[in-house]
Amino acid sequence: MTNLRELLVPLTPQSAKVDAYIADTYVQEAVTQLVSLDIDPADFARRYSMLLLKPDAIVARAVDKTLVWLRDNGFRVVAVRAVPVDRHFVRALWYFAWNIASPERRRIADLLAAVCDALVLVIASDTNTMPTPVRLAAGKGATNPAKRRPGELRYLLGRHNYLLNLVHSPDDPADVLREFAIYFDERTRAQVLTEIRTGRDRSGLASELGDHLYALTPARDFDRDAALERILTETGGAPPGFDPASDADCARLLYRAWAQDRPLDPWSVIVLGSHVLPMRTGTQPQTLPPVTAHDWLKDRP
């Protein structure tokens, strides 16, 4: 039987993550299956990562730009799947970060999850200098738009806002094990592992699946003012004294519409809400803070 603590300690710089993941069902599932197939879980977690193109990436038509960025930065797509997204998926994926998520953020995220399926790319790269998930996370760029830099994937795809950041990837190899089992059930994981072994580039298939999702999902704008205009039309116009430039006034508009159970265009609510509603609650840190490349390299030989 695999000793999860011994396995996980070299896969993350966070001791708290080791403690949490030992008892995590998703980590246990992934490790058990990998071992049963004679695949070293530690090697797998260092060699591969996953890039989630969220529903906002599909709406933004971001798949091909992402594939070009991956190629230009030395990453290879070795497997790809379209995956259904719902509120349970979202809470599983961000379970250790969402202790700081506001009720408004959860509500907007649930609306986003309902827009369409997401696309998961399994990524490989040269791991001589840094594990694939750490290198990919560093190149992806920050969640905060103000901290994104030219050359990073999120900078390239569009600096929309904190919530509409289009892509997600594991921070470190320990996260790879957990997210592998969140994205894929046991049968799909076995299929993905078979595809990975061939080493074949699957970028073409990823582009095709992206086109399929595009055909099912209308392209929409990410403009705050356009979203507000649509919501004002749906709610019968601006209330007295309303300032369209005021985030507080726009937030009150959404709160009032929700309290009255008014039917609103979900995408307009997602865009406006992600700009004007609070995204976090309290002052406490995340249960498991993000891991950066600096964190990974610190104290390593």
Side-chain angles (χ1 to χ4, degrees), residues 212-236:
H212 173 71
L213 292 177
Y214 293 166
L216 301 174
T217 311
R220 302 290 301 270
D221 65 72
F222 286 70
D223 184 74
R224 175 194 185 279
D225 294 340
L228 172 59
E229 188 63 33
R230 290 189 293 267
I231 289 173
L232 287 173
T233 299
E234 291 177 324
T235 57

Side-chain angles (χ1 to χ4, degrees), residues 35-298:
V35 170
S36 73
L37 296 172
D38 293 324
I39 298 172
D40 179 357
D43 181 68
F44 173 84
R46 291 188 183 97
R47 189 180 298 271
Y48 301 104
S49 188
M50 281 82 64
L51 184 67
L52 174 70
L53 281 83
K54 297 160 39 191
D56 41 330
I58 304 305
V59 172
R61 304 303 192 248
V63 174
D64 286 338
K65 282 185 178 180
T66 298
L67 295 173
V68 170
W69 183 90
L70 289 168
R71 182 198 65 203
D72 291 348
N73 285 273
F75 296 102
R76 303 185 308 280
V77 179
V78 292
V80 56
R81 290 292 189 281
V83 297
V85 182
D86 62 18
R87 61 186 299 273
H88 302 292
F89 174 99
V90 171
R91 282 156 181 77
L93 190 58
W94 285 286
Y95 177 80
F96 293 103
W98 263 30
N99 63 300
I100 66 169
S102 67
E104 294 89 346
R105 180 179 174 185
R106 293 194 295 269
R107 185 165 189 164
I108 296 298
D110 289 346
L111 287 174
L112 182 60
V115 167
C116 65
D117 288 352
L119 200 63
V120 176
L121 311 179
V122 181
I123 306 298
S125 75
D126 179 2
T127 58
N128 290 336
T129 57
M130 192 180 294
T132 296
V134 179
R135 195 164 79 82
L136 179 60
K140 175 189 63 187
T143 301
N144 184 344
K147 295 182 178 180
R148 297 173 196 165
R149 299 292 179 263
E152 295 173 343
L153 177 58
R154 281 176 170 158
Y155 187 97
L156 170 70
L157 297 182
R159 289 166 289 166
H160 300 297
N161 58 40
Y162 188 87
L163 181 67
L164 298 176
N165 53 43
L166 278 65
V167 295
H168 165 80
S169 70
D171 285 348
D172 59 26
D175 290 342
V176 170
L177 296 174
R178 184 171 188 273
E179 295 185 20
F180 188 53
I182 291 175
Y183 293 141
F184 309 127
D185 61 23
E186 183 176 5
R187 182 169 180 267
T188 305
R189 291 195 300 268
Q191 294 170 345
V192 166
L193 291 168
T194 298
E195 293 170 14
I196 286 173
R197 287 193 191 99
T198 70
R200 176 184 163 194
D201 182 87
R202 309 276 175 171
S203 297
L205 177 59
S207 182
E208 291 175 10
L209 284 176
D211 288 343
H212 173 71
L213 292 177
Y214 293 166
L216 301 174
T217 311
R220 302 290 301 270
D221 65 72
F222 286 70
D223 184 74
R224 175 194 185 279
D225 294 340
L228 172 59
E229 188 63 33
R230 290 189 293 267
I231 289 173
L232 287 173
T233 299
E234 291 177 324
T235 57
F242 179 81
D243 179 3
S246 166
D247 286 353
D249 280 5
C250 291
R252 281 190 287 270
L253 181 71
L254 289 174
Y255 290 138
R256 188 179 303 113
W258 283 339
Q260 297 171 351
D261 199 24
R262 281 182 174 270
L264 299 175
D265 170 46
W267 183 254
S268 298
V269 174
I270 291 167
V271 171
L272 183 62
S274 65
H275 280 283
V276 306
L277 295 174
M279 291 290 106
R280 68 167 294 158
T281 184
T283 58
Q284 74 277 17
Q286 293 179 5
T287 302
L288 293 178
V291 171
T292 66
H294 177 267
D295 296 330
W296 176 265
L297 293 171
K298 187 171 58 176

